[in-house]
Amino acid sequence: MRFLWSSGLLSLLVFIAPLIATGLAQSYPYNPLPMRYIHQWPIPWYIQSLYVRDNGDIMITTVWPVASVWVLTDVLTDDPKATHIYTFDQANATTAITETQPDVFSIIGANQTSLGVGIDGDVGIWELDLRPGNGSYTEGFTIQEIVHMPEAGLCGNFAQLPKEPTTLLVGDTHKGVIWRVDTLKRTYELAAKEDHMHWLPWFITEFGISGVKINNGYLYWTLSYTATIWRIAISDDGFPLPDAKPEEVKWIRSVFMDNFEFAPRDHATIFAALNADNRLLAIAPDGTPTYVAGTPDEMILTGPVSPAFGKVKGDTNTVYVVTDGALLNPVNGSIIEGGRIVAIDTTPFFEEYLSGQPDLGDELR
């Protein structure tokens, strides 16, 4: 998700981003993977986040034109279905969703004055509980804010603690910190405030930490306008280890790196959404980057925002990607579409490019 603080800056970004993206067009090898389109929303829907359930259903949240939650079912068939679950009255941006207990979901709900212009202190964790309706997406469920966060700015993403999935590490893009939220106790506290989490003065907007993930004892995040992935060692309860310092994982030649995901096949290869470049990038465990979907000047993958891998048997090599339809960075300066979700088969990537790795479980260098 990108934040634009004025129409003037929006015009500036729309003008310069295609020029920069064109200059970066041949930065890395391009080996496109098989892709299929699953569902598209009309203009101007901006699809922000997704969560793939164990049964294969995909939960979706939006940040424009309204804050809403959707579910995609029958994803592996030729006739997938998109069902609207809820539109928020008390929030107008929903930036992340995850399942903390069976049929219980945590969602970041926030308010913005215009697309991406957040209101500090007007953000919280909401809970969607399907259990009263026996798991139904359309009736009987409850939804409520369970943790209000008056000290926080606009938050963009979170990660569940591996040993405590009801506890979230929430990335605050505006304040440049990590909050620790206990969804059972309904409390929050500051977890980390580290270098390379806060936005820098030269950034187009005040947008810092994003793309929060936990992998192999490390908290990972992106600093989007520098297109860099960072990490820091953390304890099981989510706090940085004593004397731990941020480590640069990978810098990419890109205008803007949005969210990313680790492939479950090796828990080391990263698939990153390059939003302004209209591309999905794979970063191998040795740090080698390869474009695997999209080009800057075509409508193949317009404004990718967030990737997530399938979980059903036979689908774990599929990375699902949601897009914003190039709403903030029109293709060729003028072409946009409604946000959509696509499915990309990463099997050829692993077979061709990683089969020779001596140990795919090695951590990313």
Side-chain angles (χ1 to χ4, degrees):
M1 182 179 183
R2 283 180 291 156
F3 295 105
L4 299 170
W5 295 90
S6 71
S7 59
L9 281 176
L10 174 56
S11 300
L12 175 63
L13 185 61
V14 167
F15 175 75
I16 67 171
L19 301 179
I20 299 173
T22 300
L24 297 174
Q26 301 303 322
S27 296
Y28 305 116
Y30 180 39
N31 295 287
L33 296 174
M35 178 193 296
R36 62 186 176 93
Y37 296 109
I38 296 177
H39 182 76
Q40 184 171 26
W41 287 258
I43 296 172
W45 283 85
Y46 187 126
I47 314 306
Q48 172 61 25
S49 73
L50 74 167
Y51 173 79
V52 183
R53 303 192 68 188
D54 291 341
N55 64 2
D57 294 349
I58 302 178
M59 309 295 287
I60 297 286
T61 70
T62 67
V63 295
W64 194 262
V66 295
S68 61
V69 182
W70 297 68
V71 63
L72 289 163
T73 54
D74 301 321
V75 174
L76 300 181
T77 72
D78 294 331
D79 187 26
K81 296 178 176 60
T83 300
H84 172 257
I85 297 177
Y86 187 78
T87 294
F88 289 75
D89 293 327
Q90 304 93 331
N92 61 20
T94 42
T95 61
I97 185 169
T98 194
E99 192 166 8
T100 55
Q101 303 176 68
D103 286 339
V104 179
F105 301 87
S106 285
I107 301 165
I108 298 176
N111 274 294
Q112 50 187 6
T113 57
S114 59
L115 180 57
V117 183
I119 302 172
D120 284 356
D122 202 352
V123 62
I125 303 299
W126 290 70
E127 184 176 270
L128 169 64
D129 190 348
L130 303 182
R131 293 174 299 185
N134 295 316
S136 171
Y137 295 120
T138 58
E139 58 185 12
F141 60 80
T142 63
I143 190 162
Q144 61 177 322
E145 186 181 48
I146 59 170
V147 183
H148 189 64
M149 303 170 66
E151 299 170 276
L154 190 54
C155 297
N157 208 332
F158 49 38
Q160 295 168 263
L161 295 183
K163 295 184 178 181
E164 194 177 333
T166 55
T167 297
L168 310 172
L169 296 186
V170 181
D172 188 327
T173 61
H174 191 221
K175 297 294 183 69
V177 300
I178 290 284
W179 303 101
R180 183 181 187 275
V181 177
D182 187 323
T183 63
L184 296 182
K185 296 180 180 178
R186 302 188 176 187
T187 60
Y188 81 104
E189 61 184 317
L190 183 67
K193 184 179 182 180
E194 303 290 340
D195 293 339
H196 311 292
M197 289 184 176
H198 200 273
W199 50 270
L200 300 175
W202 59 265
F203 286 9
I204 294 175
T205 59
E206 297 176 352
F207 186 98
I209 183 172
S210 184
V212 180
K213 299 292 175 186
I214 296 174
N215 188 46
N216 196 29
Y218 285 86
L219 172 69
Y220 288 76
W221 70 92
T222 58
L223 195 59
S224 293
Y225 278 111
T226 65
T228 306
I229 298 174
W230 294 86
R231 73 177 189 178
I232 192 169
I234 60 172
S235 61
D236 288 345
D237 55 2
F239 296 95
L241 294 177
D243 301 322
K245 301 295 182 183
E247 306 171 16
E248 182 177 318
V249 176
K250 187 65 179 179
W251 169 77
I252 294 297
R253 297 185 188 94
S254 177
V255 177
F256 186 96
M257 182 188 294
D258 216 318
N259 298 300
F260 67 94
E261 185 61 274
F262 287 95
R265 179 160 177 168
D266 63 3
H267 303 286
T269 300
I270 289 174
F271 286 80
L274 305 184
N275 183 282
D277 297 341
N278 301 324
R279 282 174 154 160
L280 185 69
L281 181 80
I283 306 172
D286 64 0
T288 302
T290 303
Y291 298 124
V292 294
T295 62
D297 57 355
E298 295 181 287
M299 303 293 288
I300 299 171
L301 191 67
T302 53
V305 180
S306 298
F309 275 84
K311 295 179 181 177
V312 174
K313 184 178 180 181
D315 196 41
T316 56
N317 280 342
T318 300
V319 60
Y320 295 93
V321 183
V322 293
T323 77
D324 63 20
L327 188 62
L328 298 181
N329 180 39
V331 175
N332 294 328
S334 61
I335 306 172
I336 64 172
E337 64 178 9
R340 68 166 79 221
I341 179 170
V342 304
I344 300 171
D345 182 5
T346 66
T347 304
F349 174 82
F350 286 100
E351 290 178 347
E352 183 171 352
Y353 301 107
L354 297 184
S355 60
Q357 294 287 332
D359 183 1
L360 293 180
D362 289 346
E363 61 183 327
L364 185 65
R365 292 186 292 276

